[in-house]
Amino acid sequence: MPRDRMVQLTTERSTGLNEREMDAETLSTVLLTIEDRRSWDAHAELGRSIELEQAANRLGDELLAARARLCQVNMRMRCGDVAAAAEQIWHVHQWAVEHDARQLLARTHLVWSAIHLHLGDAEQGLEHAVLAVELLDADSTEHMQIWHRTKLADALYFADDLETARVRYAQAEELALQLGSPALLCLLNNYAYVESSSGNKAHAVELAARLQQLSAEWDIPLEPAFLDTIGSIQVADGQFAAAERTIRLCLEQHAEGKWDDANDMAQYLVTLAQAQRGLGKFDEAQANLDEALRQCEERDLGESLVRMHQEQAELHAARGDFAAAFAAHKTFFEVYHQQQSLQREARARTRQAMFETAEARQEAERFREQARRDPLTGLHNRRFVDERLPGLIRTDPALTVALVDLDHFKQINDQLSHDVGDQVLVRVAQVLAREVAAACPEGFVARMGGEEFLVVLPGMPAPRATACLNGIRRTIRNQYWSPITRHLPVTVSIGVAASGDAPERAQAPLLSTADSHLYAAKHGGRDRVVSAADLRGYAGHASAA
């Protein structure tokens, strides 16, 4: 997932007790400080949890040992070893199910939800978050009652259900206020981040103000991560002077050494540079970006590096140096795609670790199918395409593919809403899936991202495929769109590529050929289908308005 200012509640500093001297009651109390409180030192707490498991084993207490193992899973995830966390959590879950350990099971599903969200699997993340709340009972701690509902709200946001997420945030907030729990600060931080990320600036500003007010009333200093969230919201609201003050306080708090996540310093510096750019303090902003770059390169902070290069381009543009801005923007895209590739590799390693356990093997097909589906439209996704298409290219000389892109889709999002845009995407996906299934049962449709879809038609030569796709294009245009889009029409442009059109028989060249034909369809006036046979007829046409 992108840069995430959402925080996790975990543990406070360890007590310093000798694990060998602990009885079961004391050991349970110490474990609770890891389960229900906040800490930044995940590496230290991982070692602590391992020692606590050993102590539980010496006492012969299997429940305490399982609780310690779940703490290890959480800390491994926070340390970045998501693959190891995913592999270990299966065993904790199995033990909890076999021994009907309801509270442990609730905590397990909460951590499992976080693992799936790390993997970019919002659907599974939400499923586990729901289970984590459903398992709450009278024996659950106050912290669990608040935090499990908060993380359900987070999961709903990542699953694109913001309205329901708001309901859950409100429930958790009401409970936290009743109990006077400091978890409310973390909750408001996450909620503010969600509203800001969703473009709801006014609500984000309101939540940030409440976070600051509550911190003052409870005399609990805001930690750097919260201040960075507030500062980013202030930048988005044009409150550049306030944002600069907030991030300077953030850096002062960070310098106190209480916060183990030193890697966040680069993020704080970029936020400060954004505020200073807004104030016209270009030299100071550049100095902070230079330091952020140094830290990113020194500590291999990929996500922070992406954000730093993006802000560098903005800063050059603000100075009026558009050549430098263009160069920085190119660097940003290169680093962004490199980071995306690294994240895909990490996710692949994590999924492999999950599948290597017996429990994962039993559910492997279900996980694979969910991983191959786009959560909004239900169509196959790019991962499915990467698995299926290369084999078809190698074995089917009559294969035809097409890239389908909605015309002027930005107008629908901008003039109506992103919710309306989503409704249009779902309707178009339904038409594509239905029509392709009727015309070519062996074919499939995938959502490639945004408003672009891929149609794969095995055994269908280009002339017949082009005629079929023209029919689909007309069907989409002639849908009764008024109840959804009012006055705005919905049409698609389609670029067709037969297996023999590409310079070589491989996925990338074939999709690139289809993309060039799609480009010709767009510049030929949109709402049309272009293949190699008629490409020349559209060459030189002016771009549509």
Side-chain angles (χ1 to χ4, degrees):
M1 61 184 81
R3 159 67 178 161
D4 186 358
R5 290 185 177 83
M6 291 186 181
V7 298
Q8 302 285 342
L9 280 178
T10 52
T11 174
E12 63 184 11
R13 302 296 180 187
S14 58
T15 62
L17 291 174
N18 186 334
E19 285 78 7
R20 293 184 178 274
E21 301 172 356
M22 290 185 187
D23 58 19
E25 183 177 356
T26 304
L27 182 53
S28 179
T29 300
V30 174
L31 278 169
L32 193 62
T33 67
I34 300 178
E35 294 165 333
D36 273 13
R37 298 185 187 176
R38 182 159 174 73
S39 170
W40 290 87
D41 198 342
H43 290 280
E45 295 300 345
L46 174 58
R48 176 75 163 165
S49 300
I50 293 172
E51 293 174 355
L52 292 171
E53 181 188 1
Q54 294 169 350
N57 288 333
R58 284 192 293 271
L59 291 171
D61 193 317
E62 293 186 12
L63 175 58
L64 291 177
R67 286 173 59 188
R69 286 195 297 275
L70 182 59
C71 291
Q72 294 168 36
V73 171
N74 193 17
M75 296 306 154
R76 290 187 196 281
M77 180 185 66
R78 293 190 62 228
C79 290
D81 193 354
V82 184
E87 184 174 10
Q88 190 176 12
I89 198 169
W90 286 99
H91 303 289
V92 179
H93 176 264
Q94 186 67 21
W95 189 94
V97 169
E98 291 174 356
H99 294 82
D100 195 24
R102 186 181 179 93
Q103 189 174 113
L104 177 63
L105 200 56
R107 293 186 187 276
T108 301
H109 281 295
L110 191 71
V111 177
W112 219 339
S113 173
I115 289 173
H116 280 293
L117 292 178
H118 272 288
L119 294 174
D121 191 340
E123 183 179 354
Q124 280 294 301
L126 177 56
E127 181 177 327
H128 285 287
V130 169
L131 289 170
V133 171
E134 288 180 346
L135 286 163
L136 295 175
D137 57 20
D139 293 330
S140 301
T141 66
E142 290 182 355
H143 164 81
M144 292 176 69
Q145 298 287 353
I146 298 166
W147 197 240
H148 285 220
R149 288 175 171 83
T150 300
K151 298 313 291 180
L152 173 57
D154 292 348
L156 284 162
Y157 158 70
F158 285 115
D160 296 322
D161 190 352
L162 181 56
E163 289 306 313
T164 309
R166 285 171 173 150
V167 172
R168 294 298 182 175
Y169 281 126
Q171 291 174 349
E173 180 181 355
E174 182 180 0
L175 186 57
L177 284 169
Q178 290 174 2
L179 299 172
S181 171
L184 181 54
L185 296 175
C186 301
L187 184 160
L188 289 174
N189 175 81
N190 289 15
Y191 194 4
Y193 168 81
V194 162
E195 293 291 2
S196 179
S197 298
S198 302
N200 302 306
K201 184 171 64 176
H203 199 190
V205 170
E206 176 192 339
L207 289 166
R210 285 166 57 193
L211 178 57
Q212 292 171 296
Q213 179 183 359
L214 193 65
S215 168
E217 290 177 358
W218 287 1
D219 195 25
I220 300 177
L222 290 172
E223 59 191 55
F226 300 170
L227 291 166
D228 186 45
T229 299
I230 294 168
S232 296
I233 291 170
Q234 290 169 332
V235 167
D237 194 42
Q239 302 178 43
F240 301 116
E244 183 182 37
R245 290 192 298 271
T246 299
I247 300 303
R248 289 199 181 281
L249 178 58
C250 166
L251 296 175
E252 291 174 9
Q253 294 275 72
H254 188 275
E256 293 179 3
K258 297 178 181 178
W259 319 104
D260 183 62
D261 286 2
N263 291 348
D264 278 346
M265 174 62 82
Q267 292 283 357
Y268 304 156
L269 290 170
V270 173
T271 306
L272 179 58
Q274 290 176 323
Q276 291 169 334
R277 170 169 57 84
L279 293 170
K281 298 180 179 180
F282 299 146
D283 291 341
E284 293 180 45
Q286 186 61 62
N288 285 314
L289 286 184
D290 291 342
E291 175 58 20
L293 175 61
R294 186 191 68 78
Q295 294 198 20
C296 288
E297 292 177 340
E298 180 181 285
R299 299 172 182 170
D300 193 24
L301 308 179
E303 291 187 10
S304 299
L305 188 63
V306 171
R307 185 166 174 249
M308 189 285 304
H309 282 299
Q310 186 176 26
E311 175 56 26
Q312 182 65 79
E314 296 287 350
L315 181 58
H316 283 315
R319 287 180 180 271
D321 190 345
F322 298 109
F326 178 71
H329 203 61
K330 286 178 61 179
T331 302
F332 156 66
F333 270 109
E334 290 171 2
V335 174
Y336 171 77
H337 288 300
Q338 181 182 31
Q339 183 64 19
Q340 292 291 101
S341 177
L342 291 173
Q343 289 176 347
R344 285 193 297 270
E345 292 174 7
R347 289 168 182 167
R349 288 194 299 271
T350 301
R351 291 189 181 279
Q352 181 61 31
M354 293 171 68
F355 294 149
E356 284 174 353
T357 65
E359 295 86 355
R361 285 195 298 271
Q362 292 171 1
E363 297 191 29
E365 187 53 43
R366 183 167 68 90
F367 274 108
R368 281 197 296 270
E369 180 60 22
Q370 289 169 343
R372 296 166 176 170
R373 292 285 177 181
D374 170 54
L376 175 65
T377 64
L379 295 176
H380 293 296
N381 60 15
R382 186 181 291 271
R383 179 177 292 142
F384 178 86
V385 172
D386 292 342
E387 292 176 358
R388 182 81 183 279
L389 186 56
L392 291 174
I393 294 171
R394 288 193 303 269
T395 60
D396 185 0
L399 174 72
T400 300
V401 303
L403 286 174
V404 180
D405 191 87
L406 272 74
D407 298 325
H408 300 300
F409 185 66
K410 188 175 185 296
Q411 291 183 4
I412 294 174
N413 281 335
D414 290 349
Q415 295 184 29
L416 300 175
S417 70
H418 285 275
D419 179 64
V420 171
D422 285 349
Q423 293 180 53
V424 171
L425 289 172
V426 170
R427 172 78 72 85
V428 169
Q430 291 170 343
V431 173
L432 288 170
R434 183 184 67 241
E435 298 295 321
V436 168
C440 183
E442 301 80 15
F444 65 88
V445 184
R447 185 182 179 198
M448 301 297 280
E451 64 268 28
E452 187 175 73
F453 302 88
L454 174 69
V455 174
V456 177
L457 302 170
M460 186 177 287
R464 187 154 62 93
T466 301
C468 171
L469 290 161
N470 249 318
I472 293 174
R473 174 188 62 80
R474 288 191 294 269
T475 299
I476 291 172
R477 182 186 61 195
N478 294 332
Q479 291 286 299
Y480 184 45
W481 291 108
S482 295
I484 300 176
T485 63
R486 292 178 238 165
H487 61 286
L488 292 179
V490 177
T491 62
V492 295
S493 297
I494 304 177
V496 182
S499 184
D501 293 339
E504 57 180 300
R505 297 178 68 86
Q507 178 171 315
L510 183 61
L511 295 184
S512 178
T513 301
D515 189 55
S516 68
H517 295 174
L518 173 62
Y519 181 86
K522 291 286 188 182
H523 283 256
R526 296 184 173 86
D527 188 21
R528 62 190 61 208
V529 179
V530 172
S531 65
D534 49 16
L535 178 60
R536 182 173 299 180
Y538 295 111
H541 282 218
S543 174

